[in-house]
Amino acid sequence: MNNLSTCKEWPLLAQKALNGERLTEEEGLAVLEASDDEVLPLLQAAFQVRKHYYGKKVKLNMIINAKSGLCPEDCGYCSQSIVSTAPVNKYTLLDKDTLLAGAREAMTRKAGTYCIVAAGKGPTDKELAQVVDAVKEIRETMPLKICACLGILKDEQAQRLAEAGVHRYNHNLNTSKANYPSITTTHTYDQRVETVEKVKTYGMSPCSGVIIGMGETNQEIIEMAYALRELDSDSIPINFLNAIPGTPLEHAGRTPAMKALKVLALFRFICPSKEIRVAGGREVNLRTLQPMSLYAANSLFVGDYLTTAGQSIGVDHQMIEDLGFEIELNAL
């Protein structure tokens, strides 16, 4: 057994994270390979880091699937990809009124950030103009932060989104560089990195995360966390694969709940000051242990995801209240 895998060592990792020191690969492996008996002390240590930066506050985010099922990409995890046979809704970019209605719904759910997501390799000029128009009105009429996720951007597109008032841009790394070709072939890992760097250049907050459960090794999970630390991603959504029938990864097994909690603790230690969000697949993978995730993470998506159902908003709000935590309103 790794000699770090004892409850006496986890507070030392928490202190190292608080000191701004990077965990070694050995320490990262100790977290991921720890006995399930160590999960409670491990989460307690992760909570000390989370509490230092975020107290007991929880940021809520809501997604709107602004364009669905018409994607030319071949991402193996996605029900909207060109290689998927999953029965999903297919429609072009939603009109302005529908995007505005989604923003109002985000406010009723107490979400501080409204995420406009459109499937595709990148936006057309017409699509970008539609998003920009909606964003400007949302910014003028509602106290919401806006995150856009529209694929790979050109410089001029990134500039227009920033000028319209988009606070944050999401472009997930998804998996490790070595594992990337087994997940998709229609774009590269490096293109993902370039887009994240580009949005930073134009003043938008970078949001980039991962999907756990796509055949990656523990070493690769650590590499993903290191990569996001180097990218200085402000918000890190941790998705756990929800294997959808009709996608190439439909037979992938779920991530055990205890393993998912260890992953969240790892990301808190490696990216201590960043927003760690329990994202897609939490309901299917964490199941009844979802409340425990918030001892490491400080953010949730509320409501449905792109093509899969989420947990009831009332249940999420109750979960936060029962933990003695507090929803952080209008939080970026």
Side-chain angles (χ1 to χ4, degrees):
M1 179 180 292
N2 193 303
N3 61 10
L4 293 173
S5 300
T6 69
C7 62
K8 295 179 181 178
E9 302 296 336
W10 309 132
L12 300 180
L13 296 191
Q15 191 57 55
K16 190 171 183 177
L18 290 170
N19 292 342
E21 301 173 46
R22 175 170 144 160
L23 265 66
T24 65
E25 183 175 321
E26 181 189 21
E27 290 167 335
L29 285 172
V31 172
L32 294 179
E33 295 173 359
S35 161
D36 288 350
D37 292 346
E38 293 291 323
V39 165
L40 285 178
L42 180 59
L43 284 179
Q44 174 61 21
F47 179 64
Q48 296 310 306
V49 183
R50 180 238 202 270
K51 188 177 179 182
H52 175 82
Y53 290 103
Y54 296 102
K56 292 185 175 181
K57 292 185 176 179
V58 180
K59 300 172 187 281
L60 300 183
N61 301 252
M62 191 196 96
I63 292 174
I64 186 167
N65 191 2
K67 177 187 173 186
S68 177
L70 299 170
C71 186
E73 303 267 52
D74 66 355
C75 304
Y77 53 84
C78 183
S79 59
Q80 301 182 82
S81 81
I82 196 168
V83 295
S84 169
T85 59
V88 300
N89 292 327
K90 296 183 179 182
Y91 50 83
T92 57
L93 193 71
L94 298 174
D95 60 30
K96 179 180 175 180
D97 287 345
T98 307
L99 293 176
L100 292 173
R104 290 190 288 271
E105 176 61 25
M107 293 185 63
T108 69
R109 296 180 185 185
K110 301 183 180 180
T113 302
Y114 177 50
C115 308
I116 301 173
V117 183
K121 191 164 188 175
T124 65
D125 289 341
K126 180 181 178 181
E127 290 169 342
L128 192 87
Q130 286 178 250
V131 172
V132 163
D133 192 28
V135 167
K136 286 180 178 178
E137 185 157 343
I138 293 168
R139 288 297 311 274
E140 290 170 0
T141 59
M142 299 176 222
L144 279 174
K145 308 298 183 185
I146 300 171
C147 178
C149 178
L150 310 175
I152 295 169
L153 293 178
K154 301 172 186 174
D155 285 274
E156 183 264 345
Q157 292 175 325
Q159 183 176 359
R160 288 182 64 192
L161 288 171
E163 290 174 350
V166 170
H167 297 87
R168 174 170 287 168
Y169 195 85
N170 168 262
H171 204 55
N172 291 333
L173 294 186
N174 288 327
T175 193
S176 70
K177 186 169 185 176
N179 196 40
Y180 214 82
S182 70
I183 302 304
T184 183
T185 64
T186 47
H187 63 268
T188 67
Y189 177 92
D190 289 340
Q191 284 178 297
R192 291 260 167 178
V193 172
E194 287 164 12
T195 296
V196 177
E197 293 289 7
K198 185 172 294 183
V199 302
K200 288 161 60 177
T201 299
Y202 287 96
M204 289 181 283
S205 171
C207 172
S208 189
V210 299
I211 304 173
I212 301 297
M214 299 197 297
E216 71 284 343
T217 64
N218 282 342
Q219 286 86 350
E220 286 174 317
I221 294 175
I222 296 165
E223 287 168 18
M224 293 180 224
Y226 285 161
L228 291 166
R229 178 185 172 105
E230 292 303 313
L231 268 179
D232 201 25
S233 179
D234 290 331
S235 178
I236 302 175
I238 309 295
N239 301 277
F240 298 97
L241 181 69
N242 184 353
I244 299 171
T247 63
L249 290 176
E250 65 178 331
H251 298 300
R254 55 176 288 275
T255 300
M258 298 297 264
K259 173 66 176 289
L261 293 172
K262 295 169 196 175
V263 169
L264 291 167
L266 174 81
F267 274 81
R268 176 55 68 201
F269 290 140
I270 292 180
C271 304
S273 66
K274 303 303 186 179
E275 177 184 344
I276 306 294
R277 186 179 319 131
V278 196
R282 67 176 164 97
E283 296 86 351
V284 210
N285 291 272
L286 282 158
R287 299 194 293 205
T288 58
L289 298 191
Q290 287 182 71
M292 295 176 69
S293 68
L294 288 175
Y295 286 99
N298 66 295
S299 178
L300 291 174
F301 277 121
V302 287
D304 295 340
Y305 301 97
L306 295 175
T307 63
T308 57
Q311 186 165 269
S312 156
I313 289 93
V315 172
D316 278 339
H317 288 177
Q318 189 66 62
M319 176 175 72
I320 293 166
E321 180 183 332
D322 289 347
L323 284 165
F325 289 4
E326 173 190 356
I327 294 171
E328 185 175 356
L329 299 176
N330 301 322
L332 178 56

